[in-house]
Amino acid sequence: MKIKVDRDLCQGHGRCVIVAPELFAFADGEDQAHVFTENVPAESEALAERAARACPERAVIITK
Ligand code: F3S
């Protein structure tokens, strides 16, 4: 599984960071989230899916 934040869609709501802080973060001064790594470890896949569902802008993109 791979994840990314679509920068055209992200409005900085931060729910992805709250749900899955091991996968998403805001850099200092940034108003959009980024992923630490595109490749999600198998044990974090359910968390990545929860983060995607939590984003009101549907900006967390999952590919398998
Ligand atoms: Fe952006 Fe959605 Fe996270 S708007 S900060 S990707 S919850």
Side-chain angles (χ1 to χ4, degrees):
M1 173 190 282
K2 293 186 180 228
I3 53 170
K4 68 175 184 178
V5 173
D6 185 324
R7 295 197 154 250
D8 291 332
L9 296 176
C10 178
Q11 298 293 317
H13 295 294
R15 294 188 191 173
C16 56
V17 178
I18 292 168
V19 168
E22 51 269 80
L23 298 175
F24 301 89
F26 288 107
D28 284 347
E30 284 259 321
D31 58 2
Q32 292 184 316
H34 66 267
V35 295
F36 288 115
T37 174
E38 273 194 0
N39 298 301
V40 179
E43 65 270 21
S44 297
E45 289 188 353
L47 203 55
E49 287 172 348
R50 271 175 47 204
R53 285 196 301 272
C55 176
E57 307 297 336
R58 296 289 177 259
V60 175
I61 310 298
I62 292 178
T63 53
K64 301 193 179 180

